[in-house]
Amino acid sequence: MEQTNFPITNWHEDDKPREKLMLKGKSVLSDAELIAILIGSGSRNESAVQLSQKILSSVDNNLNALGKLTIKQLMEFKGIGEAKAISILAAMELGRRRRAEDAVELVKITSSKIAFTIMQPIIGELPHEEFWVLFLNNSNKVIAKTQLSKGGITGTVVDVRLVFKMGLEMGATGLILCHNHPSGTLIASDADKQITKKIKSAGESLDIKLMDHLIVTETNYFSFADKGIL
């Protein structure tokens, strides 16, 4: 019988770094494998990984030294054209800028007011309704804020499955729902209460706790948690 299932060991050398990253994560790849992903393909006689190893070897496997090479110097390697050289240097520059920046201090949510101060500039003055989610880690620090919908808040507009798909992908352990009332009223509608209950229930089965639901206006907010109706 003809074999149709090809294990990774039988794949083309240039495909392995991409698949390895997808299957095992970025941290397990060598420097050469990461560079191979950038350049995509090698020359006729060597794979992208082999070419990347040759380039790294020329700078004693030092990424700082690699970042100092010019486009012309990189193009001296057979298989590296102008576009690939530019891709390598762009990646090196991004890495340099990342090191130069201070690590972002995540905001910790210790009260509904802090959540309000985060979301008011984003949705507090909009002429239309938007629904957002703050995703939190196990220290109650905000790891992401994501818009889910525009328009009225109903179960059909807010995709509960999408909320928790994103939460699981981020490793979130808590979330805060936020939406605005352009009218300025701070009264929770039946639809607001229904979607809150639905998301809270779904989160309990996935160990992602609904911490609060805020209704935000230009100057004030309503907190489900503070009001004891969560």
Side-chain angles (χ1 to χ4, degrees):
M1 181 181 294
E2 183 180 354
Q3 184 178 0
T4 58
N5 183 24
F6 296 94
I8 194 169
T9 52
N10 292 339
W11 294 350
H12 192 279
E13 187 71 24
D14 289 337
D15 291 329
K16 290 180 181 178
R18 300 181 188 88
E19 298 300 331
K20 187 174 179 181
L21 187 149
M22 290 172 61
L23 294 171
K24 298 184 178 180
K26 59 191 177 183
S27 62
V28 302
L29 271 67
S30 67
D31 292 345
E33 288 171 326
L34 290 170
I35 294 170
I37 290 175
L38 289 173
I39 64 177
S41 61
S43 65
R44 178 178 297 179
N45 297 321
E46 58 187 352
S47 71
V49 174
Q50 291 169 330
L51 176 55
S52 299
Q53 289 170 336
K54 183 182 292 185
I55 295 170
L56 280 170
S57 179
S58 74
V59 292
D60 295 324
N61 295 304
N62 187 296
L63 290 177
N64 285 325
L66 176 62
K68 294 176 182 178
L69 295 182
T70 65
I71 292 174
K72 184 177 179 181
Q73 287 174 317
L74 285 168
M75 289 176 64
E76 291 175 0
F77 292 92
K78 187 176 180 180
I80 299 295
E82 185 177 68
K84 291 180 180 180
I86 289 172
S87 293
I88 293 172
L89 291 188
M92 294 297 105
E93 177 62 14
L94 279 174
R96 186 194 67 79
R97 294 183 187 186
R98 181 183 178 187
R99 291 194 306 273
E101 290 183 355
D102 293 331
V104 177
E105 182 65 31
L106 300 178
V107 178
K108 184 172 183 176
I109 303 295
T110 56
S111 68
S112 58
K113 186 174 182 179
I114 293 177
F116 170 69
T117 59
I118 293 173
M119 293 307 303
Q120 193 283 331
I122 299 174
I123 62 175
E125 299 174 27
L126 295 177
H128 59 271
E129 239 176 75
E130 291 190 2
F131 191 96
W132 286 65
V133 180
L134 297 177
F135 292 99
L136 313 178
N137 64 17
N138 57 10
S139 298
N140 283 348
K141 292 184 177 181
V142 179
I143 54 178
K145 42 186 179 289
T146 304
Q147 182 196 89
L148 284 180
S149 68
K150 292 183 180 182
I153 303 305
T154 68
T156 57
V157 173
V158 178
D159 189 336
V160 176
R161 292 171 301 177
L162 180 60
V163 172
F164 290 102
K165 177 178 183 293
M166 291 189 294
L168 290 168
E169 288 174 350
M170 295 175 191
T173 59
L175 53 86
I176 296 175
L177 309 178
C178 307
H179 77 278
N180 61 313
H181 278 181
S183 65
T185 60
L186 288 173
I187 300 173
S189 68
D190 288 340
D192 295 339
K193 294 175 182 177
Q194 288 170 9
I195 193 63
T196 303
K197 183 177 180 180
K198 192 173 183 179
I199 290 178
K200 180 183 179 181
S201 177
E204 288 172 350
S205 63
L206 295 170
D207 289 328
I208 300 179
K209 185 178 180 180
L210 176 60
M211 310 297 290
D212 204 347
H213 184 170
L214 296 187
I215 298 172
V216 176
T217 66
E218 186 173 353
T219 58
N220 211 339
Y221 68 96
F222 176 95
S223 162
F224 276 62
D226 291 351
K227 298 296 183 180
I229 58 172
L230 190 61

